[in-house]
Amino acid sequence: MRSVIVITGASSGFGALTARALADAGHTVYASMRKTRGRNAPHVEQVRRYAAERYVDLRSIELDVSSQPSCDAAIQEIISTNGRLDVVVHNAGHMVFGPAEAFTPEQLAGLYDVNVLSTQRVNRAALPQLRKQQRGLLVWVSSSSAAGGTPPYLGPYFAAKAAMDALAVVYARELTRWGVETSIIVPGAFTGGTNHFAHAGAPDDTTRAAEYDAGPYAGLADQVREGFASMVPADSDVSAVADAIVRVVDAPFGKRPFRVHIDPSQDGAEVVNAVSDRVRAELLRRIGLGDLLIPRAPGSGRHAEAAPSS
Amino acid sequence: MRSVIVITGASSGFGALTARALADAGHTVYASMRKTRGRNAPHVEQVRRYAAERYVDLRSIELDVSSQPSCDAAIQEIISTNGRLDVVVHNAGHMVFGPAEAFTPEQLAGLYDVNVLSTQRVNRAALPQLRKQQRGLLVWVSSSSAAGGTPPYLGPYFAAKAAMDALAVVYARELTRWGVETSIIVPGAFTGGTNHFAHAGAPDDTTRAAEYDAGPYAGLADQVREGFASMVPADSDVSAVADAIVRVVDAPFGKRPFRVHIDPSQDGAEVVNAVSDRVRAELLRRIGLGDLLIPRAPGSGRHAEAAPSS
């Protein structure tokens, strides 16, 4: 079945790869990004050309995840064009690298905005439609760092991704009775193939960062980069993430995996999440809310009473 | 040994109990809070009276965790009065309750500020001194929700606490070589004995919240509250958290536990953190950074070169 899909942060990296892979699989895919008429105009042109050459339904759309009006406008345009929206892929994100102490609170706030508040804005734009349809899928591109091994110097980013993962877990349970399903994609470190590491932000407080570099943490930045490189197998392929998302979207409703790990470095997230998702399910059953674990089929039970007003 | 300690959010709840317990144990304790001349003036008076009646060194101090200048001024006053600062207890926090979709992005940002950016501001104020001393202790009051079972309707709070826990884990590794130790306190749900639940914030988007209440999630808020109440044993005592922090502070340097769980509801966090802390230690050793797991003794190794400039 052809789905109408929007993916955030689709100008490059996992986002661009996933948008193409989903279009190749026969879906109508909106590769959303900001600055479609500015900095990202070349990416818009790449999208157009890819769609034309491959005869697939891949489109770009202006969507700035830092702006609620921009999120609202993009989602409304997709809904009015297609009459529906089936899948939202929360992919937009940004990384920073350096000693935690050297980042200003404002930098941490900005990182939370792009990695977490972004998903909240898109959810608030899209969920009324998904709830009205009594059918839909949220795909969250989380990070193995939220559960697995974490090297130093990525603290503000790991904090934001842990928050995103926690939010995804709770949203999942608050959406099953509306017929909206959730899959959390958990990529490990991919040091090549995306701009995630190359474009990582640096601390604003360079004085504080220099104290670490001149003190007992001299050389650590290089050790962390080399450590990452040593953990990621040379043949690891970022397209594995896009392929996993295609499999999730193409799986039947109600049968999609709650989590999919794609972690060539094997940092332990898969082990930890197996335990944490288990104790979380156990807690829901213990307080009589076990039904929240499974998305409800449309028209079943109390669903019929539940058309949202917006 | 008498330590000089500052604790945030000490007007009530865990914070007030912990400040008193640490003072009773013989330490110089600054119970920090905002609005010491306004709303919290009665708490300031309680602190004064407690100190006078018990002959302990408990003091209140103005510290608004949402303001860097306020954090800087409080920490500077403590350092200039005492010549040092030994322990920082990150306790300030706030909870919200309701469907995640009904919270505005601005509410999520505010919650991140009070639960996470608060710790960043206090760290940036205090860590130069702790690093200069080559000795110190950070105590983070995290939450079992960051790893264990999580009911619905607390998403934005759980997201913020998961971020705080992740930040604490990374900071720990970036501070050991400076001689600064970390202990993460993991309280489970305590439904009585603090104002945490009673004072929880509500969603600003009441229209969206009403859709959940009128739809398939009708009655869920009460079910979650009752579920929590059923999980927390009637004899669970919030002072267990304060007692645990006293034991951590009084333990010898280098021997303090990385985590302490105080979770009468047994939501599974202790099981999950045992695994996650293990795979995290494993990753550091794998990339040759195993030394970051243990705080360095003052004056050892490269420490002597490492006096920070500020």
Side-chain angles (χ1 to χ4, degrees):
Chain A
M1 203 189 80
R2 187 180 63 87
S3 289
V4 178
I5 302 171
V6 62
I7 173 163
T8 62
S11 64
S12 65
F14 290 155
L17 291 168
T18 302
R20 291 174 186 191
L22 286 166
D24 287 345
H27 301 290
T28 294
V29 181
Y30 286 84
S32 82
M33 60 192 83
R34 60 182 171 166
K35 299 186 177 162
T36 47
R37 294 183 180 187
R39 200 182 66 198
N40 283 324
H43 295 297
V44 169
E45 174 56 21
Q46 282 165 15
V47 163
R48 196 199 56 74
R49 195 175 308 156
Y50 190 89
E53 287 171 1
R54 312 269 288 216
Y55 297 94
V56 295
D57 196 1
L58 179 63
R59 316 171 189 192
S60 60
I61 192 166
E62 172 74 29
L63 190 161
D64 178 353
V65 294
S66 73
S67 157
Q68 189 69 59
S70 175
C71 294
D72 291 344
I75 298 295
Q76 277 315 308
E77 183 183 327
I78 295 168
I79 294 168
S80 60
T81 303
N82 299 276
R84 66 180 212 268
L85 171 61
D86 302 301
V87 182
V88 174
V89 183
H90 292 303
N91 168 74
H94 184 56
M95 181 182 271
V96 295
F97 187 81
E101 190 188 334
F103 290 94
T104 64
E106 293 70 25
Q107 286 189 287
L108 266 64
L111 210 62
Y112 199 63
D113 196 297
V114 69
N115 287 291
V116 184
L117 303 185
S118 57
T119 68
Q120 181 68 0
R121 293 190 188 99
V122 172
N123 277 351
R124 282 177 54 78
L127 286 175
Q129 174 68 21
L130 270 53
R131 289 191 286 116
K132 194 163 69 179
Q133 292 169 183
Q134 299 181 31
R135 181 63 66 101
L137 170 65
L138 296 190
V139 177
W140 303 70
V141 182
S142 179
S143 164
S144 66
S145 64
T150 46
Y153 280 16
L154 290 148
Y157 172 71
F158 290 159
K161 294 304 287 193
M164 189 235 215
D165 197 285
L167 196 62
V169 167
V170 174
Y171 254 119
R173 305 318 167 205
E174 296 177 10
L175 292 172
T176 45
R177 287 187 187 169
W178 295 106
V180 177
E181 201 167 10
T182 296
S183 285
I184 303 174
I185 309 297
V186 188
F190 285 87
T191 46
T194 83
N195 295 319
H196 210 38
F197 279 80
H199 289 175
D204 276 352
D205 188 342
T206 52
T207 306
R208 210 70 74 98
E211 289 175 10
Y212 279 73
D213 282 343
Y217 285 86
L220 192 85
D222 286 339
Q223 279 179 284
V224 170
R225 284 194 206 95
E226 286 158 18
F228 259 131
S230 73
M231 282 172 53
V232 181
D235 62 350
S236 73
D237 181 359
V238 288
S239 67
V241 175
D243 295 344
I245 294 175
V246 172
R247 281 194 299 276
V248 162
V249 169
D250 285 345
F253 180 82
K255 301 290 182 191
R256 282 144 173 163
F258 184 60
R259 278 190 199 272
V260 181
H261 294 82
I262 309 104
D263 177 18
S265 72
Q266 291 287 300
D267 68 12
E270 191 158 9
V271 180
V272 175
N273 280 326
V275 184
S276 67
D277 288 336
R278 183 84 184 216
V279 302
R280 284 170 171 162
E282 180 197 351
L283 183 137
L284 290 177
R285 291 193 192 98
R286 188 171 155 199
I287 61 175
L289 295 174
D291 77 289
L292 303 184
L293 295 166
I294 307 290
R296 219 181 252 183
S300 75
R302 282 168 295 173
H303 242 150
E305 316 158 17
S309 64
S310 52
Chain B
M1 203 190 78
R2 186 181 63 85
S3 288
V4 178
I5 302 171
V6 62
I7 172 162
T8 62
S11 64
S12 66
F14 291 153
L17 291 168
T18 302
R20 291 172 186 190
L22 287 166
D24 287 346
H27 301 290
T28 295
V29 181
Y30 285 85
S32 82
M33 59 193 82
R34 59 180 173 170
K35 298 185 178 162
T36 47
R37 294 180 179 191
R39 200 183 69 196
N40 283 325
H43 295 297
V44 169
E45 174 56 20
Q46 283 166 16
V47 163
R48 197 199 56 74
R49 195 176 307 156
Y50 190 89
E53 288 171 0
R54 312 270 288 218
Y55 298 93
V56 296
D57 196 0
L58 178 63
R59 317 170 189 192
S60 59
I61 191 165
E62 172 74 28
L63 190 161
D64 179 353
V65 293
S66 72
S67 156
Q68 189 70 59
S70 176
C71 295
D72 291 344
I75 298 295
Q76 277 314 308
E77 184 184 326
I78 295 168
I79 294 169
S80 59
T81 302
N82 299 276
R84 66 181 211 268
L85 171 61
D86 302 302
V87 182
V88 174
V89 183
H90 292 303
N91 168 73
H94 185 56
M95 182 183 271
V96 295
F97 187 79
E101 190 188 333
F103 289 94
T104 63
E106 292 71 25
Q107 288 189 286
L108 266 64
L111 211 62
Y112 198 65
D113 197 296
V114 70
N115 287 292
V116 183
L117 303 186
S118 57
T119 68
Q120 181 69 359
R121 292 189 188 99
V122 173
N123 277 350
R124 283 177 53 79
L127 286 176
Q129 175 68 21
L130 270 55
R131 288 190 286 118
K132 194 164 68 179
Q133 293 169 184
Q134 299 181 30
R135 182 63 66 101
L137 169 65
L138 295 190
V139 178
W140 303 70
V141 182
S142 180
S143 163
S144 67
S145 64
T150 46
Y153 279 16
L154 290 148
Y157 172 71
F158 290 158
K161 293 305 286 193
M164 189 234 216
D165 197 285
L167 196 62
V169 168
V170 175
Y171 254 120
R173 305 317 168 206
E174 295 176 10
L175 292 172
T176 45
R177 287 188 187 168
W178 296 105
V180 177
E181 200 167 12
T182 297
S183 285
I184 303 174
I185 310 297
V186 188
F190 286 88
T191 47
T194 82
N195 296 319
H196 209 39
F197 279 81
H199 288 176
D204 278 351
D205 188 342
T206 53
T207 306
R208 209 70 75 98
E211 289 175 8
Y212 279 73
D213 283 343
Y217 285 86
L220 192 85
D222 286 340
Q223 279 179 285
V224 170
R225 284 193 206 96
E226 287 157 18
F228 259 131
S230 73
M231 282 172 54
V232 182
D235 62 352
S236 73
D237 182 358
V238 287
S239 67
V241 175
D243 294 344
I245 294 174
V246 172
R247 280 194 299 276
V248 162
V249 169
D250 285 345
F253 179 82
K255 301 289 183 191
R256 283 144 173 164
F258 184 60
R259 281 191 196 272
V260 182
H261 294 83
I262 309 104
D263 177 19
S265 72
Q266 291 287 299
D267 69 11
E270 192 159 6
V271 181
V272 174
N273 280 327
V275 184
S276 66
D277 289 336
R278 183 84 185 216
V279 302
R280 284 169 170 164
E282 180 199 350
L283 182 137
L284 289 177
R285 291 194 192 97
R286 189 173 153 197
I287 61 174
L289 295 173
D291 76 290
L292 302 183
L293 295 165
I294 307 291
R296 219 181 252 185
S300 75
R302 282 168 295 173
H303 244 150
E305 317 158 14
S309 64
S310 50

